[in-house]
C-alpha cells in the first residue's frame, strides 16, 4: 500500500511539473504575441515607415492595383555611389540596384509600387548579419499594407505583396497579420525566401514560391519541407529552377559570384525570364 501511495505521489508530482512547464511556455508565447501585436509596437513601426517607402507609380485617373515590394537584406539604393559600395559584400550593389529597377518596370506596366526600405527605417544600411529579423519585417509589411490600402491612388481590393530573400522571409511571417488589414490581398509572391523557422499560417492568402535549386543561401529543400508542413488546404504554389542560385533574377549580376561570406549568388536568364513571366500571370489573374 505504501509503495502504491509513493508511486501515486510521484506520478502527480510529474504531472504538476509538466503542467507548470506548459503553462509557463504558454505565458511566454502570450507575452511575445502581446509585444509584437501591441499598439505601441504598431505605432512605432508606422512612424518609422514615414519617409522610408519609395513610391513608383504613374499618374492615373483611376485607382491602380498596388504592389508592396519588400527587398532582401542588402537594402535599397537608387544607384547612389555611397550606398552602392555595399556593406561587407561585393554582391550588395547588384541587389540594391535590382529592387528599384523592378519597381520601375512594374510601375510602367500599370501598378502602383511601394518599395519598403525597412533597413533605413531601422537605422541600418544592411540586414545581412541579422540586424533586422523577419518578425520585425513582417510588422513593416502589415504597416505598409495598411498605408497603401488607405491611399486613394490605389485600389485596395487589388493588392499584391512581393518579397525577395529576407523580405520573403518576413512575408511568410506576415501572412496571418495581413488577415487583419482592411484590404484585399489577391496574392503574395516569395522569391528565394528564407523559409527556416517560418511559422505555419492559417490565413488563406495565396502564396507563390519561386526557388533556385542551387541556392546556398536560402535552401529550396528547406522551403519544400516547410511547405509540406502546411495544411493541404492552403493555396500555395511552388516553382523551382535547376541550377538557379540565390538572386537568379538579378539582371546585371554575374552568373556566379561569391558574397564573401562563403555563399554565392548569380543571375540566371532562363530562370529569371520564366519566373517573371509566371509572376506577371499571377498579377493579371491568369
Amino acid at each position: 500500500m505504501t509503495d502504491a501511495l509513493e508511486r501515486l505521489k510521484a506520478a502527480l508530482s510529474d504531472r504538476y511539473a509538466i503542467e507548470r512547464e506548459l503553462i509557463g511556455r504558454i505565458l511566454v508565447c502570450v507575452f511575445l504575441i502581446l509585444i509584437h501585436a501591441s499598439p505601441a509596437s504598431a505605432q512605432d513601426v508606422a512612424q518609422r515607415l514615414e519617409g522610408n517607402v519609395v513610391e513608383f507609380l504613374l499618374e492615373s485617373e483611376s485607382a491602380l492595383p498596388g504592389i508592396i515590394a519588400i527587398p532582401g537584406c542588402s537594402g535599397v539604393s537608387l544607384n547612389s555611389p555611397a550606398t552602392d559600395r555595399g556593406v561587407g559584400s561585393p554582391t550588395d550593389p547588384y541587389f540594391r540596384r535590382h529592387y528599384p529597377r523592378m519597381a520601375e518596370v512594374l510601375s510602367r506596366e500599370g501598378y502602383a509600387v511601394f518599395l519598403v526600405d525597412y533597413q533605413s527605417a531601422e537605422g541600418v544600411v544592411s540586414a545581412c548579419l541579422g540586424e533586422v529579423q523577419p518578425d520585425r519585417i513582417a510588422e513593416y509589411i502589415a504597416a505598409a499594407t495598411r498605408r497603401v490600402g488607405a491611399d486613394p491612388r490605389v485600389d485596395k481590393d487589388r493588392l499584391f505583396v512581393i518579397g525577395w530573400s529576407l523580405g520573403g522571409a518576413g512575408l511568410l511571417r506576415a501572412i496571418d497579420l495581413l488577415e487583419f488589414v482592411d484590404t484585399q490581398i489577391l496574392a503574395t509572391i516569395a522569391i528565394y525566401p528564407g523559409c527556416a523557422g517560418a511559422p505555419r499560417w492559417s490565413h488563406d492568402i495565396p502564396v507563390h514560391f519561386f526557388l533556385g535549386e542551387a541556392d546556398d543561401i536560402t535552401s529550396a529543400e528547406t522551403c519544400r519541407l516547410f511547405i509540406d508542413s502546411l495544411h493541404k488546404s492552403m493555396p500555395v504554389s511552388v516553382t523551382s529552377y535547376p541550377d538557379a542560385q540565390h538572386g537568379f533574377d538579378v539582371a546585371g549580376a554575374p552568373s556566379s559570384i561569391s558574397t564573401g561570406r562563403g555563399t554565392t549568388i548569380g543571375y540566371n536568364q532562363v530562370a529569371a525570364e520564366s519566373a517573371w513571366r509566371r509572376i506577371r500571370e499571377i498579377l493579371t489573374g491568369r
Side-chain angles (χ1 to χ4, degrees):
M1 184 68 177
T2 302
D3 289 345
L5 285 172
E6 291 300 323
R7 287 197 297 272
L8 178 59
K9 287 180 181 178
L12 289 172
S13 177
D14 290 343
R15 175 188 169 189
Y16 294 144
I18 292 170
E19 287 179 347
R20 283 196 300 272
E21 182 179 355
L22 287 173
I23 290 170
R25 290 182 180 180
I26 290 169
L27 289 174
V28 169
C29 289
V30 170
F31 177 69
L32 291 173
I33 289 170
L34 289 174
I35 287 176
H36 288 295
S38 69
S41 178
Q43 184 178 12
D44 174 59
V45 168
Q47 289 174 346
R48 288 173 178 266
L49 206 56
E50 288 298 322
N52 290 307
V53 177
V54 187
E55 299 181 357
F56 298 80
L57 69 166
L58 302 178
E59 289 188 12
S60 173
E61 294 181 358
S62 58
L64 298 171
I67 296 175
I68 296 98
I70 317 299
C73 70
S74 297
V76 175
S77 166
L78 297 178
N79 297 322
S80 158
T83 53
D84 269 359
R85 283 196 296 269
V87 180
S89 173
T91 61
D92 283 354
Y94 297 112
F95 284 101
R96 287 183 168 159
R97 298 182 189 118
H98 176 61
Y99 307 123
R101 181 170 57 234
M102 291 309 304
E104 183 68 38
V105 167
L106 290 168
S107 74
R108 290 199 300 267
E109 294 177 5
Y111 299 93
V113 186
F114 299 83
L115 188 57
V116 179
D117 184 3
Y118 59 86
Q119 286 90 347
S120 293
E122 288 289 300
V124 299
V125 178
S126 167
C128 294
L129 297 178
E131 293 88 344
V132 188
Q133 292 297 307
D135 286 340
R136 183 65 166 176
I137 297 169
E139 294 184 67
Y140 278 105
I141 293 171
T145 304
R146 291 188 188 94
R147 173 192 174 117
V148 171
D151 191 320
R153 300 170 298 174
V154 179
D155 184 345
K156 73 171 187 175
D157 293 323
R158 290 191 295 162
L159 292 186
F160 303 87
V161 184
I162 300 177
W164 288 264
S165 193
L166 181 60
L171 171 58
L172 300 183
R173 287 160 174 79
I175 299 299
D176 277 339
L177 295 179
L178 295 176
E179 182 178 3
F180 304 102
V181 177
D182 184 25
T183 59
Q184 180 64 45
I185 308 291
L186 297 182
T188 63
I189 296 161
I191 305 173
Y192 37 85
C195 295
R200 292 190 292 272
W201 57 78
S202 58
H203 194 25
D204 60 353
I205 294 176
V207 183
H208 302 275
F209 289 79
F210 291 85
L211 312 174
E213 294 296 338
D215 193 326
D216 60 3
I217 296 177
T218 54
S219 162
E221 180 60 24
T222 299
C223 283
R224 273 194 292 272
L225 290 172
F226 167 69
I227 292 162
D228 288 344
S229 75
L230 294 172
H231 194 280
K232 301 306 178 186
S233 66
M234 292 293 102
V236 172
S237 75
V238 183
T239 306
S240 66
Y241 301 96
D243 304 319
Q245 296 176 290
H246 199 76
F248 62 76
D249 69 329
V250 180
S255 59
S256 186
I257 180 174
S258 171
T259 63
R261 303 183 181 111
T263 52
T264 55
I265 68 117
Y267 175 60
N268 184 311
Q269 184 177 354
V270 173
E273 291 178 354
S274 175
W276 278 98
R277 184 164 53 248
R278 177 64 190 124
I279 290 169
R280 285 180 170 89
E281 291 174 350
I282 294 167
L283 295 176
T284 55
R286 288 182 289 178

